[in-house]
Structures are given as structure tokens and as C-alpha cells.
Amino acid sequence: MSASFANALHAAHDAAAAQHYPQGALYVVATPIGNLADITLRALHVLQLADTIACEDTRHTQSLLRAYGIDKPADRLLALHQHNEAQAAQAVVQRLQAGQRVAYASDAGTPGVSDPGARLVAAVQAAGLRCIPLPGASSVTSALSVTGAVAHAPGAGGFVFAGFLPTKSAERAAAVQQLATEPRCVVLLEAPHRIQELANALAVLGDRRVTLARELTKQFEEVSEHAAQDVAAWLQGAPQRVKGEFVVLLHPKAAPEEDSGASERVLRLLLAELPTKTAVKLAADITGAPRNALYERALALKHPPDAPAAHD
């Protein structure tokens, strides 16, 4: 443990110890995705306080705890991973029912997203016990925050988390074809030994923009944006580009250029015969133009800014 983390433990106690930490509760703890300094003060306090720490890999978590100067005997760590989550979740429930505080940490980041933890939380909730989130590092939100890929346009706002695509080539190709019609930003995850295959599959998306976020928060972190059809060649351009864990973002699908003149002609014809809302809805259905924009244009056509004011 470095002196800086010794100070962090003191700071964690000062900042978090006065808060209430109920017994018989599961604490879902986000841990760093690479940079040890990305732990939160509350996470440090809870990891010290917990009677049991359930974790994806006990050896990895023990190393993490020791880096922060937290000493937990081996019998206070409980392995809970994708291969034993259902059975281990019941062991956690029993400990919670006995009044223990149990923390759960996956190997990196926020549990229950792409890592184990969802089945554990479901089992704890089904038993009528409390789950308390301790937010922190996440590769998904970290990548999204530095790409500007989350649009806010009507019908295309937000993002879709797709995680890892199938490993078999035919199934992966089918999944990519489905994603091709998704207008929102899509978040994918991929391991280094499969990133080239994913890049090859994404090439069918042509000029749709793709961001690769590699080794986030680590020394060789890299964030790079390309057209989908160019990603495979970029990866092949240097050996280090295929190393590390990847977050892959498909940027929002570009909206087709619309013929504003045609949509306005349709809107004018409909406004002459129908109420405004009905005319706008039909014009949007016919032309594919955004309904909000058509509605604003309809109001402008009905009430031009230079029209004389009405008098009673």
C-alpha cells in the first residue's frame, strides 16, 4: 500500500463513517476499471466494514484490497462468478439473513452490467432483503462521456447497451444486421482476442461512425473514431491496437436528408382541410419528416409573424 492510499483510508473514514450502513444488506460496489485511484471513499469504507466480500475472483479482489491497505482473511471472501452465481447467491442470502453486511465486487467496474451480479441482486430482492448501490467506475459511461455519441434528437436520443455480441460468426453477423437499423448510439464490449472479428463484422455498416475505446483509465488508454468500414484496417495498422479490453460505440444512425419543400407542400395541403395536430401527424407519416419540426412549421403557417393582430 502506498502512502497516498493510507491517506485515502483515513479520508474514507472521515467522509463516510458517519453514514448509516444497515446490517443484513447487500452493498453492490463499483471498483476501478484500471486506475486504482478511481475507487470512491464510500467504497473503501464499505469494503473495510463488510462482514463478507463476495467477488468474481477472490485472488483479484484480495490483491485490490491489499493495494488499499485493507486486510481481509480468506474466509471473509466468497467467490461468486458467472458459473456459480445461482448457488453462491443463496449463500449470500443466508449471510444477510444472519445479519451480515455483504459487499459484492466484480473484477472491474460496476457489477451486474456486463459482469456477474444481476442474478445475485434478484435473489436478494426476492428474499425481501435490501440492496444498496455504491456507484463508481464504469467502462460504458466512461466511453460515452468522451465521444459525444449520445444524441438528443427526437426518436434517436439516449443509447442502447448491447454488450458482447455472439462469438459465432453467423450469429454475430445477424446481430450486426439488427443493429444496422438502430438509430440510437449502440454500446458494445469486446475482448482483445475477438476485436478483429467484430471489426470485420461491423464493416457492413459502411460509413457509420464507430468509436473504439481501448484500455480505459490505464496507461495506454486510446479512444479513436473511424467509419465502420475502416475499423478493421486501423486495428491492423499497429500491434498494440488490438491489446486490452474494448468498448465499441456505434454512433447514432445519420438521419436521411429530407426534402423540406416536399414535406411543406404536403403539410400545406393537409392544413387546408384538417385540424393542425391531425395534419401534422399525417404529414409526418407521409413524408418521414420530424413531427416536432412540422408542428412548428404549421404554427408559423397559420400565424405568420407579419400577420395583422386580431381585434375584438
Side-chain angles (χ1 to χ4, degrees):
M1 178 185 63
S2 69
S4 59
F5 286 133
N7 293 335
L9 286 183
H10 291 301
H13 182 272
D14 292 342
Q19 299 174 24
H20 179 52
Y21 298 93
Q23 294 178 303
L26 175 68
Y27 295 83
V28 182
V29 183
T31 56
I33 58 176
N35 190 319
L36 287 177
D38 289 338
I39 193 76
T40 70
L41 295 178
R42 192 155 66 110
L44 287 174
H45 183 72
V46 166
L47 290 171
Q48 293 179 88
L49 185 67
D51 301 296
T52 296
I53 299 177
C55 46
E56 188 175 1
D57 185 324
T58 57
R59 292 167 299 178
H60 176 88
T61 299
Q62 189 69 276
S63 296
L64 186 71
L65 295 173
R66 287 171 178 160
Y68 296 126
I70 299 173
D71 185 22
K72 292 284 184 182
D75 61 1
R76 300 272 294 276
L77 272 63
L78 173 68
L80 189 150
H81 44 74
Q82 63 176 336
H83 303 296
N84 77 340
E85 189 168 359
Q87 299 88 342
Q90 294 309 311
V92 170
V93 168
Q94 292 172 5
R95 298 190 187 207
L96 295 175
Q97 289 171 334
Q100 288 193 17
R101 298 181 182 93
V102 179
Y104 179 67
S106 57
D107 284 350
T110 302
V113 180
S114 61
D115 294 336
R119 296 174 73 181
L120 168 63
V121 168
V124 170
Q125 291 177 336
L129 299 165
R130 186 174 176 186
C131 297
I132 300 174
L134 272 68
S138 164
S139 63
V140 173
T141 54
S142 295
L144 287 168
S145 71
V146 293
T147 58
V150 179
H152 300 284
F159 66 92
V160 176
F161 177 68
F164 290 91
L165 294 188
T167 56
K168 293 184 178 179
S169 59
E171 295 175 0
R172 184 170 53 239
V176 170
Q177 287 297 333
Q178 285 187 316
L179 295 177
T181 62
E182 173 56 60
R184 294 168 291 180
C185 175
V186 179
V187 182
L188 304 173
L189 302 177
E190 195 50 274
H193 63 281
R194 287 197 301 265
I195 189 62
Q196 192 69 58
E197 286 79 5
L198 176 61
N200 294 338
L202 293 177
V204 299
L205 301 181
D207 59 0
R208 186 164 178 177
R209 304 306 295 175
V210 173
T211 290
L212 301 177
R214 182 179 71 85
E215 292 283 80
L216 287 175
T217 78
K218 300 178 184 178
Q219 181 179 358
F220 300 108
E221 173 183 283
E222 187 172 15
V223 179
S224 185
E225 181 182 330
H226 310 274
Q229 60 197 5
D230 299 329
V231 171
W234 180 82
L235 287 170
Q236 294 169 356
Q240 73 273 11
R241 291 177 182 170
V242 295
K243 295 179 180 179
E245 301 297 321
F246 286 82
V247 181
V248 180
L249 304 181
L250 308 186
H251 288 233
K253 192 174 181 180
E257 293 185 9
E258 62 187 66
D259 184 346
S260 59
S263 61
E264 182 164 325
R265 286 194 296 274
V266 172
L267 181 62
R268 285 177 180 271
L269 290 171
L270 293 172
L271 284 172
E273 305 294 336
L274 299 170
T276 301
K277 288 186 178 179
T278 305
V280 167
K281 180 181 183 305
L282 288 174
D285 291 342
I286 293 168
T287 67
R291 189 176 299 187
N292 287 353
L294 286 173
Y295 187 75
E296 291 178 4
R297 185 57 186 152
L299 294 180
L301 290 170
K302 279 183 166 285
H303 307 286
D306 56 351
H311 296 283
D312 295 333

